[in-house]
PDB file of all heavy atoms in Angstrom:
ATOM      1  N   GLY A 139      12.458 -15.047 -25.438  1.00  0.00           N
ATOM      2  CA  GLY A 139      12.619 -14.035 -24.220  1.00  0.00           C
ATOM      3  C   GLY A 139      11.667 -12.959 -24.209  1.00  0.00           C
ATOM      4  O   GLY A 139      10.472 -13.106 -24.668  1.00  0.00           O
ATOM      5  N   ASP A 140      12.047 -11.843 -23.863  1.00  0.00           N
ATOM      6  CA  ASP A 140      11.186 -10.635 -23.717  1.00  0.00           C
ATOM      7  C   ASP A 140      10.775  -9.986 -25.144  1.00  0.00           C
ATOM      8  O   ASP A 140      11.119  -8.755 -25.220  1.00  0.00           O
ATOM      9  CB  ASP A 140      11.873  -9.654 -22.796  1.00  0.00           C
ATOM     10  CG  ASP A 140      10.959  -8.616 -22.160  1.00  0.00           C
ATOM     11  OD1 ASP A 140       9.659  -8.693 -22.553  1.00  0.00           O
ATOM     12  OD2 ASP A 140      11.282  -7.588 -21.494  1.00  0.00           O
ATOM     13  N   ASP A 141      10.247 -10.717 -25.841  1.00  0.00           N
ATOM     14  CA  ASP A 141       9.788 -10.218 -27.174  1.00  0.00           C
ATOM     15  C   ASP A 141       8.498  -9.604 -27.195  1.00  0.00           C
ATOM     16  O   ASP A 141       7.406 -10.381 -27.012  1.00  0.00           O
ATOM     17  CB  ASP A 141       9.895 -11.291 -28.279  1.00  0.00           C
ATOM     18  CG  ASP A 141       9.539 -10.898 -29.702  1.00  0.00           C
ATOM     19  OD1 ASP A 141       9.126  -9.740 -29.811  1.00  0.00           O
ATOM     20  OD2 ASP A 141       9.714 -11.721 -30.557  1.00  0.00           O
ATOM     21  N   MET A 142       8.364  -8.279 -27.253  1.00  0.00           N
ATOM     22  CA  MET A 142       7.073  -7.523 -27.064  1.00  0.00           C
ATOM     23  C   MET A 142       6.227  -7.798 -28.329  1.00  0.00           C
ATOM     24  O   MET A 142       5.033  -7.464 -28.281  1.00  0.00           O
ATOM     25  CB  MET A 142       7.361  -6.042 -26.899  1.00  0.00           C
ATOM     26  CG  MET A 142       8.159  -5.715 -25.609  1.00  0.00           C
ATOM     27  SD  MET A 142       8.221  -3.888 -25.357  1.00  0.00           S
ATOM     28  CE  MET A 142       8.885  -3.336 -26.905  1.00  0.00           C
ATOM     29  N   PHE A 143       6.697  -8.360 -29.407  1.00  0.00           N
ATOM     30  CA  PHE A 143       5.885  -8.492 -30.563  1.00  0.00           C
ATOM     31  C   PHE A 143       5.252  -9.860 -30.740  1.00  0.00           C
ATOM     32  O   PHE A 143       4.544 -10.176 -31.737  1.00  0.00           O
ATOM     33  CB  PHE A 143       6.681  -8.049 -31.757  1.00  0.00           C
ATOM     34  CG  PHE A 143       7.304  -6.697 -31.732  1.00  0.00           C
ATOM     35  CD1 PHE A 143       8.516  -6.499 -31.365  1.00  0.00           C
ATOM     36  CD2 PHE A 143       6.350  -5.615 -31.896  1.00  0.00           C
ATOM     37  CE1 PHE A 143       9.080  -5.119 -31.288  1.00  0.00           C
ATOM     38  CE2 PHE A 143       6.867  -4.317 -31.863  1.00  0.00           C
ATOM     39  CZ  PHE A 143       8.130  -4.094 -31.441  1.00  0.00           C
ATOM     40  N   ILE A 144       5.344 -10.728 -29.797  1.00  0.00           N
ATOM     41  CA  ILE A 144       4.761 -11.992 -29.746  1.00  0.00           C
ATOM     42  C   ILE A 144       3.223 -11.683 -29.595  1.00  0.00           C
ATOM     43  O   ILE A 144       2.886 -11.010 -28.927  1.00  0.00           O
ATOM     44  CB  ILE A 144       5.251 -12.887 -28.643  1.00  0.00           C
ATOM     45  CG1 ILE A 144       6.707 -13.352 -28.920  1.00  0.00           C
ATOM     46  CG2 ILE A 144       4.375 -14.082 -28.409  1.00  0.00           C
ATOM     47  CD1 ILE A 144       7.325 -14.125 -27.852  1.00  0.00           C
ATOM     48  N   ARG A 145       2.489 -12.540 -30.320  1.00  0.00           N
ATOM     49  CA  ARG A 145       0.990 -12.429 -30.329  1.00  0.00           C
ATOM     50  C   ARG A 145       0.426 -13.688 -29.941  1.00  0.00           C
ATOM     51  O   ARG A 145       0.513 -14.737 -30.624  1.00  0.00           O
ATOM     52  CB  ARG A 145       0.588 -12.000 -31.772  1.00  0.00           C
ATOM     53  CG  ARG A 145      -0.889 -11.769 -31.952  1.00  0.00           C
ATOM     54  CD  ARG A 145      -1.057 -11.223 -33.402  1.00  0.00           C
ATOM     55  NE  ARG A 145      -2.529 -11.174 -33.689  1.00  0.00           N
ATOM     56  CZ  ARG A 145      -2.968 -10.569 -34.680  1.00  0.00           C
ATOM     57  NH1 ARG A 145      -2.106  -9.687 -35.454  1.00  0.00           N
ATOM     58  NH2 ARG A 145      -4.275 -10.398 -34.822  1.00  0.00           N
ATOM     59  N   ILE A 146      -0.221 -13.746 -28.793  1.00  0.00           N
ATOM     60  CA  ILE A 146      -0.876 -14.915 -28.214  1.00  0.00           C
ATOM     61  C   ILE A 146      -2.365 -14.707 -28.232  1.00  0.00           C
ATOM     62  O   ILE A 146      -3.045 -13.883 -27.560  1.00  0.00           O
ATOM     63  CB  ILE A 146      -0.370 -15.092 -26.661  1.00  0.00           C
ATOM     64  CG1 ILE A 146       1.088 -15.089 -26.555  1.00  0.00           C
ATOM     65  CG2 ILE A 146      -1.106 -16.421 -26.199  1.00  0.00           C
ATOM     66  CD1 ILE A 146       1.536 -15.159 -25.208  1.00  0.00           C
ATOM     67  N   GLU A 147      -2.926 -15.330 -29.177  1.00  0.00           N
ATOM     68  CA  GLU A 147      -4.412 -15.316 -29.469  1.00  0.00           C
ATOM     69  C   GLU A 147      -5.227 -16.011 -28.287  1.00  0.00           C
ATOM     70  O   GLU A 147      -4.704 -16.917 -27.488  1.00  0.00           O
ATOM     71  CB  GLU A 147      -4.885 -15.898 -30.719  1.00  0.00           C
ATOM     72  CG  GLU A 147      -4.009 -15.456 -31.975  1.00  0.00           C
ATOM     73  CD  GLU A 147      -4.491 -14.260 -32.658  1.00  0.00           C
ATOM     74  OE1 GLU A 147      -5.636 -13.879 -32.280  1.00  0.00           O
ATOM     75  OE2 GLU A 147      -3.647 -13.640 -33.254  1.00  0.00           O
ATOM     76  N   ALA A 148      -6.452 -15.744 -28.194  1.00  0.00           N
ATOM     77  CA  ALA A 148      -7.342 -16.465 -27.212  1.00  0.00           C
ATOM     78  C   ALA A 148      -7.243 -17.813 -27.430  1.00  0.00           C
ATOM     79  O   ALA A 148      -7.302 -18.389 -28.524  1.00  0.00           O
ATOM     80  CB  ALA A 148      -8.877 -15.923 -27.328  1.00  0.00           C
ATOM     81  N   GLY A 149      -7.153 -18.560 -26.300  1.00  0.00           N
ATOM     82  CA  GLY A 149      -7.129 -20.124 -26.343  1.00  0.00           C
ATOM     83  C   GLY A 149      -5.694 -20.532 -26.575  1.00  0.00           C
ATOM     84  O   GLY A 149      -5.441 -21.769 -26.544  1.00  0.00           O
ATOM     85  N   ALA A 150      -4.606 -19.753 -26.715  1.00  0.00           N
ATOM     86  CA  ALA A 150      -3.273 -20.282 -27.060  1.00  0.00           C
ATOM     87  C   ALA A 150      -2.361 -19.943 -25.870  1.00  0.00           C
ATOM     88  O   ALA A 150      -2.812 -19.361 -24.852  1.00  0.00           O
ATOM     89  CB  ALA A 150      -2.789 -19.444 -28.300  1.00  0.00           C
ATOM     90  N   ASP A 151      -1.183 -20.487 -25.925  1.00  0.00           N
ATOM     91  CA  ASP A 151      -0.265 -20.246 -24.935  1.00  0.00           C
ATOM     92  C   ASP A 151       1.170 -20.101 -25.507  1.00  0.00           C
ATOM     93  O   ASP A 151       1.420 -20.406 -26.612  1.00  0.00           O
ATOM     94  CB  ASP A 151      -0.206 -21.272 -23.879  1.00  0.00           C
ATOM     95  CG  ASP A 151       0.168 -22.621 -24.316  1.00  0.00           C
ATOM     96  OD1 ASP A 151       1.216 -22.912 -24.774  1.00  0.00           O
ATOM     97  OD2 ASP A 151      -0.760 -23.544 -24.367  1.00  0.00           O
TER      98      ASP A 151
END
Side-chain angles (χ1 to χ4, degrees):
D140 192 11
D141 183 352
M142 297 185 308
F143 300 105
I144 289 175
R145 183 174 172 160
I146 308 169
E147 308 278 339
D151 60 72

